[in-house]
Amino acid sequence: MLAQATPARPTPAKRHVLHPQASPKKKPKGKRRHAKKSEDGAGKEKFAPPLEPAFASECYAALKHASTATEAIAAWVVEHCQLLVAPPREESHSTSAAAAAEAQAQAQAQATSAELASMPGMPALAAIAASSAAAKPPREPAGAFMVLSVGCGDGELDLELLIALSAALAAAAPEGVAPRSLHYVGLEPNSADAAAFTARLDEARVAGRLPSGVVAYVLEEAFDSKAPSQRAAASSAPAAASAVDDSNGSGSADAARRYFGSKHQFDLVVAAGVLASFSGNTHTALQRLLASTRAGGRMLVVQPAKGVPELQSQLMKLACGNEAALLAADEVKRQLAQLKLPPYTMELVPARLHCGDCLARNAAGLQVPRPLPLLCAPSRALVRRASSDPSALFWVVCLPSHDSLARGGGDVVPPPSLRSSRAAWAATCASCASQR
Amino acid sequence: MMRILKAFWHAAEIEEDGGGYIDERHAVFVVDKPLGKK
């Protein structure tokens, strides 16, 4: 395993309030030209097919282990969860007015009770009124706070989100009013990750970290739009009673995948690092996320802005000939600008992706057997598959020095501290050894 | 692969002990859906 990542430097997160209208509405000319070229190219894949679930899960786990991003984003969520549960402005005004009216009525009732108690022969009546008021159950909450998390993964971030939201809802409830309950639905089409999150939820409940009133479950379903074959099947068949479409039994990967469908809208829709996984374009994906958000609700979208995207760009140029499919934070900003929404906030959360173990090929780094075939024989197909997935990219980026140095180094010169390990790197790869 | 390696060496901060890391930034968007929007 890789060594545990050390905490990021305490650089404060930068916060921006962005006015969508002020954002550039057009893509840079170069990028647009690349995109057009890709669309024109007959037979070229615009989006890579999904990685196998087990491999994707392995890559994701390794990336998380090496990066401080998950804990940094979780810390941001814990710090800002009050913002996520706060009612919209108009509703906030009406809620505070209702609370003030209720407090005034309560004060008036107490004054009346005191007046009754002071009158001769009335203390008994006052006592009955007081006990009746005490027995009255708290006012019903406004309804459950509904959360939909798209591509929740193994739930490391979402569990922290759940705990923070539960606490924030309790803190936001007016005095004497029961807090809104929390209802969470996680969507994760990767069976391995969905099972891991379910186990994580069970463990948190047993440990008492997750309040008993929180309803949380994970559905092994995709939020994506349906595959063409499923769309055709759905249009020809009568509407199913279930909101979820089952496999049509054709045996293909698309057919085996289950798709989430619900007319319900959620108070908070979370999409953390998953926008690149949708098969459609980003604009459509954001529209679908927005459609699942109730009026007055919020979307929480997390997307890499710096670090991996620069490397991903180079890999995409190699694998696909252009970087049209690259989806970083700038592209999200461009797409949000086209949705005609009020100003939104964006903060940059700093993190570190550690690649020291892989670079140094030390004991921890050498315990990663899986990427060696990928790196020693980087077939175009494998690289293309990895290029759309930042977690798989981790394998490609953080270990290619091994292949490069084993074959002579080329024009890439590693720092002096790493040159001495060149022979050790080559010796560790059976594939390279067999080629020599 | 050379272009990727170059980008990697360019992005990575190499420490004295031979370890390395890449500085990352993750953008967190909070988008409000207006009350009147369906």
Side-chain angles (χ1 to χ4, degrees):
Chain A
M1 292 296 290
L2 302 171
Q4 184 64 46
T6 55
R9 282 181 293 185
T11 310
K14 294 178 181 174
R15 186 168 193 177
H16 308 277
V17 176
L18 301 175
H19 296 265
Q21 291 77 8
S23 300
K25 290 188 177 179
K26 292 182 179 177
K27 289 181 179 180
K29 283 185 178 177
K31 200 161 190 176
R32 173 172 285 186
R33 188 167 65 246
H34 284 316
K36 192 172 188 303
K37 188 178 175 183
S38 175
E39 286 163 8
D40 292 346
K44 280 191 177 179
E45 278 182 313
K46 190 174 179 185
F47 294 95
L51 299 169
E52 292 169 14
F55 182 58
S57 185
E58 191 181 338
C59 292
Y60 180 56
L63 178 68
K64 276 201 315 174
H65 196 78
S67 174
T68 61
T70 302
E71 59 190 80
I73 296 166
W76 186 95
V77 165
V78 170
E79 190 181 343
H80 295 84
C81 56
Q82 295 284 358
L83 171 73
L84 299 177
V85 302
R89 286 178 185 175
E90 295 86 342
E91 196 175 309
S92 174
H93 177 73
S94 63
T95 304
S96 58
E102 189 174 334
Q104 189 179 358
Q106 197 172 1
Q108 197 169 0
Q110 284 177 351
T112 307
S113 179
E115 193 177 345
L116 279 173
S118 65
M119 293 171 67
M122 291 298 179
L125 187 59
I128 292 171
S131 64
S132 172
K136 187 180 174 184
R139 197 177 70 184
E140 283 295 313
F145 187 84
M146 302 289 291
V147 180
L148 175 69
S149 181
V150 178
C152 54
D154 65 4
E156 186 175 351
L157 172 64
D158 280 39
L159 180 60
E160 300 304 320
L161 173 71
L162 268 170
I163 295 167
L165 285 177
S166 177
L169 287 169
E175 195 175 342
V177 178
R180 295 179 73 181
S181 58
L182 181 58
H183 191 128
Y184 168 95
V185 181
L187 301 181
E188 179 49 61
N190 186 319
S191 54
D193 284 337
F197 190 9
T198 302
R200 193 187 291 272
L201 282 172
D202 292 342
E203 193 179 326
R205 284 196 186 96
V206 170
R209 291 193 67 206
L210 198 62
S212 57
V214 174
V215 177
Y217 50 89
V218 185
L219 300 176
E220 198 179 309
E221 293 166 10
F223 182 75
D224 219 340
S225 56
K226 292 174 190 169
S229 58
Q230 289 224 338
R231 272 201 298 269
S235 61
S236 60
S242 166
V244 177
D245 299 303
D246 291 327
S247 163
N248 62 13
S250 68
S252 69
D254 281 343
R257 177 166 284 194
R258 292 163 62 93
Y259 292 88
F260 177 73
S262 171
K263 291 181 179 176
H264 193 90
Q265 290 185 309
F266 295 80
D267 295 277
L268 178 65
V269 175
V270 182
V274 298
L275 283 181
S277 304
F278 292 124
S279 62
N281 60 45
T282 311
H283 187 76
T284 308
L286 285 169
Q287 276 184 320
R288 282 174 54 76
L289 291 170
L290 195 63
S292 295
T293 309
R294 77 167 178 84
R298 290 185 178 87
M299 287 196 302
L300 177 67
V301 178
V302 182
Q303 201 64 22
K306 179 180 173 291
V308 171
E310 284 87 345
L311 305 176
Q312 204 172 0
S313 163
Q314 297 298 327
L315 186 59
M316 280 188 169
K317 285 175 188 168
L318 172 73
C320 312
N322 63 65
E323 52 179 346
L326 179 67
L327 179 56
D330 286 344
E331 179 63 14
V332 177
K333 277 198 276 186
R334 266 194 289 274
Q335 297 299 337
L336 284 174
Q338 296 178 10
L339 290 177
K340 297 179 181 175
L341 295 167
Y344 55 87
T345 62
M346 186 199 81
E347 288 197 34
L348 291 174
V349 178
R352 274 185 180 185
L353 175 61
H354 284 256
C355 41
D357 287 331
C358 296
L359 283 170
R361 303 298 296 165
N362 60 21
L366 291 176
Q367 286 178 11
V368 187
R370 176 75 87 145
L372 291 179
L374 177 67
L375 295 164
C376 294
S379 72
R380 195 176 179 82
L382 276 173
V383 173
R384 181 180 294 163
R385 283 174 65 193
S387 67
S388 67
D389 190 326
S391 55
L393 176 70
F394 172 72
W395 290 130
V396 181
V397 164
C398 292
L399 286 171
S401 308
H402 166 59
D403 181 50
S404 169
L405 293 177
R407 292 169 189 273
D411 56 351
V412 178
V413 181
S417 58
L418 297 179
R419 285 179 200 160
S420 59
S421 55
R422 174 174 169 170
W425 289 14
T428 56
C429 179
S431 177
C432 284
S434 65
Q435 288 175 20
R436 286 191 298 271
Chain B
M1 293 298 283
M2 287 301 111
R3 289 167 66 180
I4 301 169
L5 290 174
K6 279 182 182 175
F8 174 66
W9 290 119
H10 182 72
E13 297 282 340
I14 308 296
E15 295 169 325
E16 290 294 324
D17 61 356
Y21 63 88
I22 295 173
D23 257 332
E24 291 185 289
R25 293 286 185 279
H26 290 261
V28 181
F29 297 89
V30 178
V31 184
D32 284 21
K33 183 172 179 177
L35 278 170
K37 201 173 178 80
K38 286 186 179 178

